[in-house]
Amino acid sequence: MKRWAYVPALLWTALFFILPLSAMLALSFTERVAGRTVWSFSLANYAAFFTRADGAFVEALLNSMEVTVAVTVLSILVAYPLAYILAYRVPARWQRLLLVLVVLPFWTSYVIRSYSWLLVLSENGTLNAAMTGLGLIDQPIGLGNTRGATILGFVHFFTMLLTLTIYANLVQIKESYRKAAADLGASAAQVFLRITLPLSLPGVAVGAFLTFVLAIGDYITPQILGGSRELLLPQAIMLQIGRQADFPLASALSMILMLVVTVAFLLFARRLKMERV
Amino acid sequence: MRLRDLPAIVYVIIAIGFIFLPVVVLVQFSFQDGILPVPPFKGFSTQWYERVFDNRRLMEALWNSVLVGLLSSLVATVLGFLAAYGLARSRPRFAGAVQYLLMAPITVSYLIIGMGLLITFNMSGIGKSLLAIGIGHVVINLPLTFAILYSQMGEHQANVERAAHDLGAGDLQALLLITMPMLWPALLAAFFIAFTLSWDEFVIAFLLSRFDVTLPVIIWSMLRSGLSPELNAVGTLVFGVSILLALLVEFALRRGRRTK
């Protein structure tokens, strides 16, 4: 029994994960002619990705990459100081409580979270009301339905995620390393740059990888906050399923999305291993 | 508190303000005494919550979400537990490959998992249903329940299991009477994390539902008709349940640490 206990989980994964992905892979090499899927090998969908006249798909991929990279960098910049303060400036017995508090909104469902940002950013929303009240602007400005709104919504969520991974890493760094460096005459800045920062990079890398994967594959946040002025890749995929029911093309686009994630994984994996040496 | 700490304190306050801003706005305007969930705040009213509880479609979706969440989390926890147990105790030669396969779904976008299932189910005739959504939720939660439980399978439990075997217990007896009770906190944590993710999941539920929808899907369709305090009220309730679950996870894990 022990020997076979992992088989049900493996079967489940094979049946409901590997098989569907294989079906999509196969489907991505078929073609859709007059609304029907023709089962013969074709690269038409992948060709369509590059050659579509308006370049909409390539643009969607580029948009996705730009947004995702911006989100990853910004989230690290916001989260790192927060994690650092939590780990080193807050008394140990308050740390856990403050950490739970800081990431509490992490548990809002992503539809609700994006909707809440829409409330904050809309033309008659809280932010505009506050800014007009303070006399910063005379006219309310439309902040929703922009790329900035998408990025803001993402940064909000991934700041919490990165705070967790970076904090978990920082508290594991032995205090004696920093003390030794200081004893040997390093300034506070030197201790940070040469001891703490390099040792905390694995935590940053784990969080950054999760951010990249989750952000680039998310449909909800750009759809609710970014509107349809510009498309990100998941929105382009959803359009193929929804309006056109073009599963071969949607599958090909999904394979391209997975390829991007795989490349990112390999880059991060190398980085992580190098840190360990 | 020293002057040196001032920048740090200011930073934490600003960061917490940023993190809580949307939640505060969501909750505050769910009590709006008016038809728009935006400033000015016209006064305290619970009419929108009454509207939510009177909305039959919302209540049905709520029930569907609970049902899908409970069953899919149960299946994900049981499968994850068996897999962790099997791998930790028998150490098959290709354990690394099995582990990698079980963790693989975590790197794939929910959108792609949902679409793959939609295509497969269309071919096999299962069709869009709550069952289909539940199957999808097990797929996304299995890597997590497996990882949580695998990390908790220590030598300590293995020794007690061995002792049980020496005293004449069969595999099943040892599993049910020794391993599971010892891993109780981790099992609970895995179950609640899975439930939270299922409870909040939208894309898979959206792609795989037709008539019976879950809560995030109905919230999505309500969103199309614009901002409304009723949405704030639903959102606040969903958030409240998620927080409750998160606290249960925290509690379970804390007990787990203490009993170790």
Side-chain angles (χ1 to χ4, degrees), chain A residues 172-183:
Chain A
Q172 279 173 6
I173 300 173
K174 285 197 184 105
E175 203 187 352
S176 55
Y177 294 171
R178 279 172 287 139
K179 277 196 177 146
D183 283 349

Side-chain angles (χ1 to χ4, degrees), chain A residues 30-52:
Chain A
T30 66
E31 207 175 344
R32 214 169 147 77
V33 181
R36 310 202 60 160
T37 305
V38 180
W39 286 93
S40 59
F41 183 81
S42 152
L43 288 169
N45 297 309
Y46 292 95
F49 176 79
F50 292 105
T51 60
R52 222 182 91 151

Side-chain angles (χ1 to χ4, degrees), chain A residues 111-128 143-145 223-225, chain B residues 22 25-26 29-30 32 34-39 48 51 219-234:
Chain A
V111 180
I112 304 286
R113 206 180 314 115
S114 300
Y115 169 74
S116 306
W117 274 111
L118 205 59
L119 288 177
V120 175
L121 297 174
S122 73
E123 217 157 306
N124 44 10
T126 308
L127 202 58
N128 267 310
L143 300 159
N145 293 324
Q223 184 68 21
I224 294 180
L225 288 172
Chain B
V25 171
L26 177 80
F29 287 100
S30 71
Q32 172 80 308
I35 54 162
L36 277 179
V38 290
W48 300 107
R51 282 274 285 269
I219 290 172
W220 169 260
S221 63
M222 284 169 74
L223 232 164
R224 283 204 217 142
S225 43
L227 309 179
S228 146
E230 193 179 357
L231 266 171
N232 287 47
V234 187

Side-chain angles (χ1 to χ4, degrees), chain A residues 66-100:
Chain A
E66 283 168 21
V67 167
T68 306
V69 169
V71 165
T72 310
V73 172
L74 286 172
S75 304
I76 292 171
L77 289 179
V78 179
Y80 199 102
L82 190 58
Y84 186 90
I85 294 168
L86 277 175
Y88 295 145
R89 292 275 185 276
V90 175
R93 64 200 164 103
W94 294 110
Q95 282 184 13
R96 185 121 195 123
L97 187 69
L98 203 56
L99 190 70
V100 170

Side-chain angles (χ1 to χ4, degrees), chain B residues 2 7 17 43-44 77 86 107 117 134 144-145 147 159 166 209 217 234 239:
Chain B
R2 287 162 296 174
F44 186 87
T77 308
T107 59
L117 285 172
L144 294 170
T145 54
N159 288 336
D166 286 348
S209 62
V217 178
V234 187
F239 179 53

Side-chain angles (χ1 to χ4, degrees), chain A residues 124-144:
Chain A
N124 44 10
T126 308
L127 202 58
N128 267 310
M131 288 199 296
T132 343
L134 289 170
L136 292 171
I137 48 169
D138 335 309
Q139 286 288 318
I141 36 177
L143 300 159

